[in-house]
Amino acid sequence: MLTDSTPLLETNKLKKYYPIKGGLFKKTIGNVKAVQNVSFQIYEGETLGVVGESGCGKSTLGRTILGLEKSTGGSISFRGKTIHHLSESKLKKFKKDMQMVFQDPFASLNPRQRIGDALEEVFVIHTNLNKSERKKRVLLLLKEVGLKEEHYRRYPHEFSGGQRQRIGIARAIALNPSLIVCDEAVSALDVSVQAQVIKLLKDLQEKYKLTYMFISHDLGVVKHMCDRVLVMYLGTMVELGSSEQIYRNPLHPYTKALLSAIPRPVPGRKKNRVKMQGDIPSASNYPNGCPFHTRCPLAQDRCRTIVPEWREVEEGHFVACHEV
Amino acid sequence: MKNLLEVENLKVNFRTKKERLRAVRGISFSLKKGETLCIVGESGCGKSITSLSIIGLLPSNGEIAEGSIKLDGNELLGKTENELEIMRGNEISMIFQEPMTALNPTFTIGFQLREPLMIHKKMSKKEATKKSIELLEKVGIPNPVEKLRQFPHELSGGMRQRVMIAMALACEPSLLLADEPTTALDVTIQAQILELMDELKRQMGMGVVFVTHDMGVVAEIADRVMVMYAGEVVEIGDVDRIFNHPQHPYTKGLLGAVPNVDDEEHHLNIIPGSMPNLDDEISGCRFHPRCPYAMDICRKKNPTTFQVTSSHQSKCWLQEVTDVDRLHTTS
């Protein structure tokens, strides 16, 4: 892991609330707190994994960082410059440097546009290349992600899931960005295809010194991809540490429960599950105190009233829990 | 023990405008009472089609071209729609991946739970309500009385899947088909549901056919595993054999491609290429273009099924080679 002094991306107490409107005049009567006080750094060349159950705010976090959602509070800085307050036109030059790969690339491709044209659009918007130069760049890109020249003239429906994800990756790396946010990028793929795409992402990272923020609910894949892992629950950070710290020595009861719930490909293994009660509460009905106390096996009185503080337990290993 | 389910040389085709697609190409397997058989494979290998054929719910352009499916010795193929309706939900039940598509959004949970009981078991509404509450308790739903009055959209994903299981088990079927029932759920909820299914299977002694692509889930719940590739069964055996002594190169590839959380030095193994389309005619073994061990014979002749041990079969020519080797070393 490279840890120079200034992180590539840093957030400080980042918040994203969605208002709940009600009543006669559609006043705001409450907030869905999708992301709450999230502060972390991503350093150049590393992969930060963000994990948690559905509804924990991990995707909203990724989208807010890229400016696809306007943040409600807190700050985001990229290479030392704050970017969360910038207007759309000023943000454009940063957007070249930050890209996203989505779970379902098919949803972001126009079914009536050839893949070659779809990829060329990136260069039309962000560069001054002429038609033949653009085509050259697109063909190079296709090769880079393991597709063939003949795919240039095909339509999105002619591709398999794995190939579509390769197109999504091609589009993300087209402008040589430094940060790519992968939102469940390999979750919808079959295992054998998943392994191929993971390898592609790793190869590209090495070749272009890319930095990834890897959002996923699959802890096996995250372990494989990531240098550091951030665990989120109900919009807040519960634990952050190096991959080794999180998987070898998880501290927060939620992290422990998550890890023990992964089905292991070992038949007859003894299950030592950390039991968790019920489902994740709705983010509009936010619990007092520690957000996890409603399901926590260790919950004490103070967990119900006092929000646990975020503290460093060992070097680079942070946790928010009273009982650790 | 007698077999609960026997599938013999099942072939399923799909009619399209252009041609006939062979989705399942002659597969055979059996299932005993109280046993869980996992069907694994990647999308398009025919695993879901196999389970839909058993319960007689193939889409309208699908047809069973050949073969036989016997439940408790009774042939299911050739039964009329009426006869099948009596069996569905009664002797055979099915759980799907997405409970929201299987539950009717306009009826309460209570109505949908009572329905199979009143139709198949001829219960009165009062009896059915009582039984419904019992069922919901059994699948671990808090406040069952209140839940009966709620609609599917008012429940979370995990709760909906529990309701589906309760519905499927209402008439105590002898065979339960589960098609990726936990794929859409979070790992913590998945763990709860798998445990619940295992416990209920034990209590009720039914046979379970569990379709999944997740090798981790397979290791947790399967007694036996059937690996499918491009419409064929490539390997079948006890769960320990499949995980510890896999024979077919595809099974080995699948196991190697699963990210392992516990192993520090684990490297992902990559199966080159991708799954063939249903209409791709491949000479010889259907896996040979992706197989690292492909030999001459693999390109020419489709392998027969070789017996590895009495309960372990692999459809691969390598097996013949090892048989010959074994002969040489013994002689």
Side-chain angles (χ1 to χ4, degrees), chain B residues 74-244:
Chain B
N74 291 326
E75 180 62 54
L76 299 188
L77 298 185
K79 277 205 194 272
T80 62
E81 192 52 31
N82 278 341
E83 289 171 314
L84 280 173
E85 220 143 78
I86 295 170
M87 288 187 26
R88 259 184 235 137
N90 197 11
E91 286 163 57
I92 310 181
S93 279
M94 187 153 184
I95 312 174
F96 298 91
Q97 175 172 357
E98 187 31 77
M100 210 48 199
T101 56
L103 292 170
N104 191 329
T106 61
F107 290 110
T108 60
I109 301 295
F111 180 88
Q112 297 183 60
L113 261 172
R114 282 194 301 269
E115 202 181 16
L117 292 165
M118 288 162 71
I119 293 172
H120 290 302
K121 296 285 178 222
K122 309 273 183 284
M123 284 185 184
S124 68
K125 192 176 170 188
K126 211 172 158 190
E127 286 170 332
T129 305
K130 209 178 131 216
K131 177 85 180 165
S132 305
I133 294 170
E134 269 175 47
L135 281 165
L136 289 181
E137 267 169 0
K138 209 177 202 173
V139 296
I141 293 184
N143 312 328
V145 183
E146 183 192 322
K147 287 288 182 313
L148 287 182
R149 280 194 293 274
Q150 290 188 328
F151 288 90
H153 73 268
E154 297 176 77
L155 304 180
S156 68
M159 284 299 151
R160 277 182 217 142
Q161 199 56 281
R162 281 168 199 264
V163 170
M164 278 278 296
I165 293 176
M167 271 171 73
L169 299 182
C171 298
E172 310 195 344
S174 51
L175 176 65
L176 178 69
L177 306 171
D179 188 356
E180 309 251 8
T182 59
T183 307
L185 304 174
D186 282 313
V187 277
T188 52
I189 310 295
Q190 167 171 285
Q192 293 170 7
I193 298 282
L194 289 180
E195 233 157 78
L196 172 73
M197 285 186 68
D198 209 41
E199 197 187 303
L200 292 173
K201 182 199 87 175
R202 239 167 275 239
Q203 275 177 26
M204 304 169 63
M206 58 192 172
V208 180
V209 174
F210 196 107
V211 175
T212 179
H213 67 270
D214 187 332
M215 285 311 229
V217 172
V218 174
E220 297 243 316
I221 58 151
D223 297 310
R224 284 198 309 137
V225 183
M226 177 163 112
V227 184
M228 286 187 73
Y229 182 78
E232 293 179 340
V233 173
V234 295
E235 189 165 2
I236 183 166
D238 292 341
V239 64
D240 287 328
R241 292 284 310 181
I242 297 289
F243 278 84
N244 299 327

Side-chain angles (χ1 to χ4, degrees), chain B residues 238-256:
Chain B
D238 292 341
V239 64
D240 287 328
R241 292 284 310 181
I242 297 289
F243 278 84
N244 299 327
H245 307 280
Q247 295 296 318
H248 199 283
Y250 180 62
T251 313
K252 288 179 190 170
L254 263 190
L255 286 168

